[in-house]
Amino acid sequence: MTTDQSTSAIEILRYDARYREQSMDVLRKAFFQQEIVCIGSEVNKMPQAQKDLEQLCIDVADGGVSMIARDTLTDTIVGVSFNLLQTPSGPEDANYFEVFRDTKCTTDSSRALMQYMITMDAKVNLFERFGVSCLLELMFLGTLPNYAGKGIATRLVEESVQLAENLKSGNATPATIGNGPNTFPKPQLVSALFTSRISQRVGEKVGFKVVNQVPHSEFIYKGKTFSDRAGPEHPFSTLVVKHI
């Protein structure tokens, strides 16, 4: 377990490629093993599926709006929030997750997880419902198990929302743009899919509002529902938003 001293030394910062391997390690030890839909789609048992989704996160991180939590005493990454700026796709165009599912997923397991995300997103068109042209989506959120319960996920979400606000106001740019032209899409909304009561409580603390709630029994992988594999403790996913 972490000490109180190390917990107080946690800083939240923008993702930096120097910490790529450590950030992937958080995914391997936390998100892929504990995330409800990773259990439901058996990503937790499939190393190749995890590699597929690591590539998704590397691609997303290149967008310059992801956040990481660093223990300054050990220079260790202990939490991640892989975020991306989303804009509406055309009526005939596949969206970002559909393209990744069809071109980069090499296993049924990773495709099932991507299909879950696609299905959830399709249930409510956030762009139309809220009249926005860009949103910041919190895609994958995780904290190392021995740092759990210390409020790190909450801080990652809070700082992600603050980044969205700064992007909207022009006080920040995606990290990859640097000092270049200020032409990136500016978010007007922050969204997330929270799949456990733990992450759902984080959303509640930060002021997210529930837009949709879907039982995990609705999603099936290889003849079993996500609920069959993950159990009854976290029975549903919520699509949540926060206006900025």
Side-chain angles (χ1 to χ4, degrees), residues 84-90 94-96 125 127 132-137 184-188:
L84 72 158
L85 291 173
Q86 291 267 46
T87 55
S89 53
N95 67 31
Y96 181 84
N125 187 321
F127 301 105
V132 300
S133 58
C134 177
L135 58 83
L136 181 78
E137 178 171 351
F184 61 92
K186 295 179 175 59
Q188 301 144 297

Side-chain angles (χ1 to χ4, degrees), residues 50 59 63 101 208:
Q50 295 172 27
D59 292 349
R101 176 199 61 194
F208 281 78

